[in-house]
Amino acid sequence: METKFAIKNASFLTSCALGSSFPAPRALEIAFVGKSNVGKSSLINKLCRNNKLARVSGAPGKTRLINYFDINGALYLVDLPGYGYAKASKAEQAQWDRLMGEYLSSGRVSHLFMLLDIRHPPTALDLAMYQYLLYYGIPFTLLATKSDKLTRSQRQLAANDNAKLLGAPPYALPVSGETGEGIAELVDRIGALLADAQERAKMDTAAYDSRRRG
């Protein structure tokens, strides 16, 4: 019987700045991206059941580096710097653009979770980020954060409306780093992505071995 995926071990691995080396690739690398203060770090902590794993701050714009987390020794979760921080200088904004371009164009990203605040329509920067994903051809899942701020009857409708306004297929998963809503579904999604990645890796290895024997 197949064992259901669970996050059993999660630890901070390293932080990467512009021009620095990324960790050795793994079968699956999932990145989290969204505007400043959208709740990325809180969501990662809830997902990994460790409130101190990703640094959370009430001040937006705190995450300025690409932060890697090791999950079960099998995959990476990656916390990307938030965008749209109003107090960032033009030089800092330009550095963010270069850092994100370097990372998203690297071919490392297997899947990206794009976070949208469920209470508000997507901003111009959210729309621009979505175009980044389309340009680089990165598979993605939309997450509507802070779902606990709306009534239960409002959540899925608001999440889907924001996805539609973004120009994406009209569905986003409501999630909350406070209450844990959507976390079980998110863990299942990661498990499915990992199973697919591992199967592809086996097929690639088999094809390589076949070519060597041939």
Side-chain angles (χ1 to χ4, degrees):
M1 183 176 179
E2 186 176 347
T3 303
K4 188 175 181 179
F5 175 79
I7 295 177
K8 298 178 180 179
N9 298 291
S11 60
F12 171 75
L13 185 63
T14 188
S15 293
C16 300
L18 186 66
S20 62
S21 298
F22 296 116
R26 285 191 176 163
L28 184 65
E29 183 164 325
I30 300 174
F32 289 71
V33 70
K35 66 183 180 183
S36 295
N37 214 28
V38 75
K40 285 189 286 86
S41 298
S42 296
L43 187 62
I44 290 172
N45 288 344
K46 179 65 74 172
L47 184 64
C48 298
R49 294 176 296 177
N50 183 343
N51 291 332
K52 297 181 179 179
L53 185 64
R55 186 174 180 181
V56 178
S57 173
K62 199 68 177 179
T63 304
R64 303 295 180 87
L65 301 171
I66 294 176
N67 293 318
Y68 273 81
F69 300 94
D70 174 272
I71 306 299
N72 296 354
L75 67 124
Y76 296 131
L77 294 185
V78 184
D79 187 8
L80 299 179
Y83 51 80
Y85 179 46
K87 294 183 179 180
S89 67
K90 289 184 177 180
E92 287 175 319
Q93 292 174 20
Q95 185 177 30
W96 182 92
D97 284 338
R98 292 195 299 273
L99 179 63
M100 293 297 288
E102 181 179 282
Y103 178 70
L104 295 177
S105 65
S106 67
R108 298 179 55 92
V109 192
S110 311
H111 199 90
L112 196 145
F113 290 141
M114 182 174 177
L115 281 60
L116 301 169
D117 190 324
I118 199 169
R119 303 168 297 175
H120 308 295
T123 66
L125 289 173
D126 288 323
L127 295 170
M129 186 69 235
Y130 181 61
Q131 292 304 312
Y132 259 119
L133 306 189
L134 297 181
Y135 178 78
Y136 289 114
I138 300 172
F140 65 90
T141 298
L142 297 179
L143 307 180
T145 64
K146 306 188 180 183
S147 64
D148 56 288
K149 304 300 183 184
L150 298 183
T151 64
R152 188 169 297 277
S153 62
Q154 294 174 317
R155 293 171 190 171
Q156 192 62 66
L157 181 61
N160 293 353
D161 283 346
N162 280 353
K164 191 183 301 182
L165 289 170
L166 194 66
Y171 176 79
L173 176 66
V175 293
S176 171
E178 292 295 321
T179 67
E181 180 179 8
I183 293 299
E185 292 89 340
L186 202 50
V187 171
D188 287 346
R189 179 70 173 137
I190 293 171
L193 290 169
L194 180 60
D196 287 346
Q198 290 174 333
E199 185 61 30
R200 286 195 302 272
K202 288 180 183 177
M203 293 174 64
D204 289 345
T205 299
Y208 175 75
D209 290 342
S210 177
R211 287 196 300 270
R212 288 191 64 187
R213 289 194 300 269

